[in-house]
């Protein structure tokens, strides 16, 4: 399921804060991305995960080009490339710190794989590589609370404030 | 008493000191005067790729672009004609159209309300009494400035901001074959460039972005992470093992040509992740219906071009790349897939392939951008003066297709690029507008 940025914005009125376990999971995801802990970050994903960075808030990935639209297989490839040590655009990795704010539960659904909590948040990301780049945007996560109690990422959609471009190199985990 | 000479140094009018057959000076990438001369001789006087007809399918559709540094509107006017108009109000110069794309029958300037049709005619002037008797003349004379020359080939629209010069066909020379090769992969012989453009800000010279695309030497090193960690190269990179050629097509155009190798293998879609026909039934059927089974098989084997069209268009197999130079060390690279009209199953695969390889997060181009930036950093060291381009110079062969080298890693394409670049900057290219640069800019 995909919540667009527009829907994420419209949802605000009845939104609540996510439960502590989900919130902690998202902060951990942010920290692993910041610290270029690629394999640990990859392990957060479930096998049907989709990592998406669209070029416009109303874009349809089946019709429109995105900056990133990784299915689970491509997430694996992306991480393997980053782990190779010769992904030049991340060698050495960007030094990064990001903050998540305004966390709100936008949706909650259940199926035989567990309960999926959709969380919207704003983020600011400070990336240092030769000089400082500041990235910001809306991020929408779908976190699955599995029957075994484990949490996994099913979707992460990043609506960059500067999605309209031009954007500098985005080879790190945004 | 000695007087200080405060006059600015004379602007550069040639590049004779910077280019040799086998090397170029690092200044070609860094010198602001070279950049200024390029803006005049390449981007004002020459043919420049602007956009694609598929981006403006209906009357009123427009996209805004730049030719060099100058804003233009590519629009399909109400008469169905595609036009390239200066994006500058004829009253006092306000940028008229501020959206990236849209549809409109008129453009109304927000400053004083002058209104132009989408063919560029001035049709509305508020408070016209202010012009008294002169009003009709004002309205007649002050339409939007059309690009003095505009033409297209295979849907690719090019323009020149100077009236005189060679025709587009002369400019394209044998590079039309590359556009034909791309169109041969479409059942309708047309393309759709509306998936959206990735705009990637690169901190390097625009020529570095362009000519790197035909550098067959860098892949194993710059892109080692892809081959090591993700998937092996589509065909070997060892020159003696493959029939992959590099070619200087003349007129600044050049390519890496996989056709011979693919033909030798006689396998379809090697260039498309070796997708089997069964995965693309609709596309295969439409192609066979349009072109017959034999031509279809050939098109699927030979695949799309990997061809650089001087100065700013790169046919990147199933992607289109163009550049907008911002300054000697800053460029925006634009990339979109060359979608095939009506072929959704094929097009969605293409979107995913473009995202995988190209743009700011692409497995390939993110690293090309990084290497380009570091090249720009390195060139800040002024010694040694020359950049080496002699690789393969002794094994170049001239035939009816151009200057070919059977070693993919030969720097034959770059030599062709620089030869043409210097003749254009020196005002010696065919159809050059003589005596129109140094003086004019002073
Ligand atoms: S500048 Fe456009 S109406 Fe005055
Ligand atoms: Fe490359």
């Amino acid at each position: 399921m995909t919540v667009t940025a527009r829907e994420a914005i419209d949802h605000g009125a009845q939104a609540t804060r996510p439960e502590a376990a989900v919130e902690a999971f998202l902060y951990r995801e942010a920290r692993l991305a910041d610290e270029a802990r690629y394999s640990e970050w990859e392990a957060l994903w479930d096998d049907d995960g989709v990592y998406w960075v669209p070029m416009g808030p109303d874009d349809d990935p089946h019709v429109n080009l995105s900056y990133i639209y990784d299915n689970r297989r491509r997430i694996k490839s992306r991480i393997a490339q980053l782990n190779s040590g010769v992904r030049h655009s991340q060698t050495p990795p960007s030094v990064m710190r990001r903050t998540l704010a305004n966390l709100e539960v936008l949706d909650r659904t259940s199926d035989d794989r567990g309960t999926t909590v959709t969380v919207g948040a704003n983020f600011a990301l400070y990336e240092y590589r030769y000089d400082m780049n500041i990235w910001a945007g809306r991020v929408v996560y779908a976190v699955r609370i599995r029957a075994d109690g484990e949490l996994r990422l099913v979707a992460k959609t990043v609506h960059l404030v500067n999605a309209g471009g031009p954007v500098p190199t985005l080879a790190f985990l945004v | 008493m000695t007087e200080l000479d405060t006059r600015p140094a004379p602007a550069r009018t040639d590049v004779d000191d910077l280019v040799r057959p086998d090397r170029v000076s690092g200044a070609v990438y860094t010198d602001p005067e070279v950049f200024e001369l390029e803006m005049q001789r390449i981007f004002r006087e020459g043919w420049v790729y602007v956009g694609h007809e598929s981006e403006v399918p209906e009357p009123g559709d427009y996209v805004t672009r730049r030719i060099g540094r100058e804003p233009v509107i590519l629009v399909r006017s109400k008469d169905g004609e595609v036009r390239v108009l200066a994006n500058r109000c004829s009253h006092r110069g306000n940028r008229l159209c501020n959206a990236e794309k849209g549809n409109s029958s008129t453009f109304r300037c927000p400053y004083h309300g002058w209104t132009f049709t989408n063919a560029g005619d001035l049709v509305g002037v508020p408070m016209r009494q202010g012009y008294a008797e002169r009003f009709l003349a004002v309205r007649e004379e002050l339409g939007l400035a059309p690009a003095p020359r505009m033409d297209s080939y295979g849907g690719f629209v090019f323009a020149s901001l100077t009236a005189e010069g060679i025709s587009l066909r002369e400019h394209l020379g044998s590079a039309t074959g590359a556009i034909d090769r791309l169109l041969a992969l479409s059942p309708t012989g047309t393309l759709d460039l509306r998936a959206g453009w990735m705009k990637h800000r690169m901190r390097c010279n625009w020529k570095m972005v362009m000519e790197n695309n035909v550098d067959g030497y860098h892949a194993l090193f710059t892109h080692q992470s892809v081959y090591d960690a993700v998937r092996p190269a589509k065909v070997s990179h060892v020159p003696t093992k493959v029939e992959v050629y590099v070619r200087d097509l003349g007129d600044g155009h050049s390519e890496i040509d996989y056709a011979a190798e693919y033909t030798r293998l006689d396998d379809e879609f090697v260039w498309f992740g070796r997708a089997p026909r069964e995965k693309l039934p609709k596309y295969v059927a439409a192609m066979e219906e349009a072109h017959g089974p034999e031509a279809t098989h050939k098109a699927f084997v030979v695949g799309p071009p990997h061809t650089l069209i001087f100065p700013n268009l790169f046919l990147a197999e199933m992607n289109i790349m163009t550049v907008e130079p911002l300054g000697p060390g800053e460029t925006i690279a634009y990339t979109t897939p060359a979608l095939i009209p009506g072929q959704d199953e094929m097009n969605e695969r293409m979107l995913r392939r473009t995202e995988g390889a190209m743009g700011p997060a692409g497995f390939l181009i993110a690293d090309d951008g990084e290497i380009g930036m570091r090249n720009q950093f390195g060139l800040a060291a002024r010694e040694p003066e020359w950049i080496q381009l002699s690789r393969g110079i002794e094994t170049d062969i001239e035939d009816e297709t151009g200057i070919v080298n059977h070693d993919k890693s030969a720097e034959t394409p770059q030599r062709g690029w620089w030869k043409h670049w210097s003749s254009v900057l020196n005002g010696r290219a065919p159809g050059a507008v003589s005596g129109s640069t140094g003086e004019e800019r002073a």
Side-chain angles (χ1 to χ4, degrees):
Chain A
M1 192 217 60
T2 314
V3 176
T4 69
R6 296 254 180 267
E7 286 159 1
I9 289 159
D10 295 343
H11 253 85
Q14 68 272 26
T16 59
R17 274 187 65 176
E19 51 266 59
V22 170
E23 201 173 291
F25 177 83
L26 297 179
Y27 292 153
R28 181 169 146 75
E29 188 274 335
R31 183 158 44 81
L32 295 176
D34 279 347
E35 295 175 2
R37 290 159 67 179
Y38 303 128
S39 298
E40 290 170 83
W41 184 83
E42 189 195 344
L44 300 177
W45 286 90
D46 220 333
D47 56 13
D48 53 350
V50 175
Y51 172 37
W52 183 28
V53 184
M55 298 202 297
D58 300 315
D59 281 2
D60 173 354
H62 306 294
V63 178
N64 303 111
L65 187 66
S66 305
Y67 292 116
I68 295 173
Y69 190 81
D70 288 1
N71 61 12
R72 186 62 184 81
R73 219 175 115 199
R74 190 169 284 172
I75 291 172
K76 183 175 184 239
S77 298
R78 189 175 294 281
I79 297 307
Q81 190 186 24
L82 287 165
N83 274 330
S84 72
V86 281
R87 171 61 157 167
H88 304 293
S89 46
Q90 278 297 292
T91 311
S94 300
V95 180
M96 293 185 284
R97 285 296 159 194
R98 73 193 76 190
T99 55
L100 294 184
N102 307 19
L103 273 70
E104 295 170 313
V105 173
L106 307 177
D107 199 11
R108 190 181 289 271
T109 57
S110 289
D111 59 21
D112 53 358
R113 301 197 61 180
T115 298
T116 301
V117 186
T118 303
V119 179
N122 293 343
F123 76 95
L125 161 58
Y126 306 87
E127 183 213 3
Y128 177 71
R129 183 174 172 75
Y130 306 112
D131 49 30
M132 184 77 110
N133 276 314
I134 296 173
W135 301 80
R138 177 87 173 142
V139 54
V140 182
Y141 305 91
V143 180
R144 178 178 288 141
I145 306 167
R146 300 199 307 200
D148 60 10
E150 293 276 322
L151 271 58
R152 287 288 184 279
L153 202 50
V154 183
K156 179 179 183 184
T157 303
V158 182
H159 295 276
L160 296 169
V161 162
N162 60 337
V167 298
T169 292
L170 239 176
F172 55 87
L173 299 174
V174 67
Chain B
M1 200 178 94
T2 333
E3 279 184 41
L4 284 176
D5 186 352
T6 54
R7 289 172 302 174
R12 189 178 260 287
T13 56
D14 69 69
V15 289
D16 280 329
D17 53 329
L18 304 180
V19 180
R20 300 284 176 272
D22 60 346
R23 63 208 143 116
V24 294
S25 162
V28 300
Y29 299 109
T30 56
D31 182 347
E33 288 191 6
V34 168
F35 186 81
E36 287 305 319
L37 193 57
E38 289 176 331
M39 288 298 108
Q40 176 64 26
R41 292 234 162 111
I42 298 176
F43 287 93
R44 276 198 65 81
E45 296 174 11
W47 286 102
V48 178
Y49 171 66
V50 181
H52 193 266
E53 285 169 3
S54 66
E55 295 181 88
V56 289
E58 299 296 326
D61 286 347
Y62 66 84
V63 293
T64 52
R65 291 285 148 82
R66 284 203 278 187
I67 298 179
R69 285 173 297 202
E70 304 188 31
V72 296
I73 310 171
L74 173 71
V75 60
R76 191 177 293 273
S77 309
K78 58 181 175 297
D79 59 5
E81 288 288 308
V82 174
R83 288 183 167 80
V84 175
L85 304 168
N87 190 1
R88 171 190 157 139
C89 177
S90 55
H91 177 222
R92 285 174 60 175
N94 215 252
R95 192 172 72 177
L96 191 61
C97 182
N98 291 285
E100 264 181 36
K101 59 183 179 185
N103 181 287
S104 185
S105 55
T106 57
F107 300 109
R108 184 163 197 262
C109 180
Y111 196 176
H112 312 92
W114 284 25
T115 303
F116 304 84
T117 68
N118 57 24
D121 300 321
L122 175 59
V123 287
V125 175
M127 298 174 255
R128 61 156 82 174
Q129 326 68 275
Y131 290 98
E133 301 295 293
R134 298 180 46 253
F135 174 71
L136 287 177
V138 164
R139 199 174 63 178
E140 191 71 8
E141 286 159 18
L142 294 182
L144 299 178
R149 285 184 289 159
M150 198 215 93
D151 200 355
S152 68
Y153 185 88
F156 292 86
V157 178
F158 298 78
S160 171
L161 297 175
T162 303
E164 270 136 57
I166 56 173
S167 68
L168 176 63
R169 290 300 288 266
E170 287 170 283
H171 166 75
L172 292 175
S174 61
T176 54
I179 296 177
D180 296 340
R181 180 170 166 183
L182 181 56
L183 298 179
L185 287 164
S186 167
T188 55
T190 59
L191 302 171
D192 181 348
L193 268 55
R194 287 180 296 172
W197 291 91
M198 285 180 181
K199 283 175 248 155
H200 185 185
R201 184 181 284 265
M202 292 188 177
R203 293 164 67 182
C204 64
N205 188 272
W206 67 277
K207 299 186 293 301
M208 223 175 260
V209 180
M210 292 312 285
E211 33 144 14
N212 175 62
N213 292 318
V214 284
D215 179 295
Y217 192 14
H218 76 290
L220 270 186
F221 310 96
T222 301
H223 304 306
Q224 186 194 339
S225 62
V226 179
Y227 306 128
D228 283 4
V230 185
R231 59 176 166 268
K234 53 194 169 192
V235 296
S236 170
H237 281 287
V238 181
T240 50
K241 286 192 185 163
V242 290
E243 288 183 48
V244 179
Y245 306 145
V246 284
R247 181 178 292 118
D248 162 11
L249 292 159
D251 308 302
H253 318 309
S254 58
E255 65 188 3
I256 302 178
D257 189 4
Y258 290 85
E261 175 67 8
Y262 293 162
T263 304
R264 187 175 69 87
L265 299 170
D266 199 33
D267 286 342
E268 297 184 343
F269 298 114
V270 179
W271 48 275
F272 202 61
R274 295 183 177 271
R277 269 183 177 231
E278 302 80 74
K279 290 253 167 100
L280 306 162
K282 250 192 73 193
Y283 172 56
V284 173
M287 281 290 285
E288 292 200 327
E289 168 139 73
H291 304 308
E294 228 164 278
T296 297
H297 174 68
K298 182 163 179 260
F300 289 170
V301 169
V302 164
H306 187 113
T307 304
L308 172 54
I309 297 181
F310 189 90
N312 68 332
L313 176 62
F314 174 43
L315 306 178
E317 304 181 22
M318 295 311 287
N319 300 297
I320 305 300
M321 186 199 262
T322 182
V323 291
E324 198 173 284
L326 298 182
E330 188 128 42
T331 303
I332 303 174
Y334 286 67
T335 310
T336 201
L339 301 183
I340 298 178
Q343 298 300 327
D344 298 347
E345 65 189 3
M346 182 75 182
N347 290 341
E348 199 168 338
R349 279 171 176 263
M350 239 187 284
L351 291 172
R352 300 295 88 88
R353 289 176 61 83
T354 303
E355 291 149 1
M358 312 293 284
F363 284 47
L364 294 175
I365 299 295
D367 289 333
D368 288 311
E370 172 79 12
I371 292 293
M373 172 173 66
R374 292 188 201 171
N375 224 56
Q376 202 77 26
F377 289 167
L379 290 170
R382 300 275 287 269
E383 275 84 36
E385 181 186 355
W386 299 98
I387 285 168
Q388 302 303 315
L389 296 169
S390 62
R391 196 177 164 79
I393 200 164
E394 269 149 26
T395 48
D396 279 350
I397 302 164
E398 199 156 354
D399 67 15
E400 67 289 349
T401 65
I403 301 173
V404 186
N405 198 300
H406 287 195
D407 176 349
K408 172 180 179 262
S409 70
E411 283 153 346
T412 313
Q414 290 93 326
R415 287 191 286 274
W417 167 276
W418 290 109
K419 189 169 106 190
H420 185 72
W421 179 87
S422 65
S423 75
V424 172
L425 262 65
N426 287 333
R428 290 181 211 131
V433 186
S434 55
S436 64
T437 54
E439 300 79 1
E440 200 172 87
R441 286 184 301 129

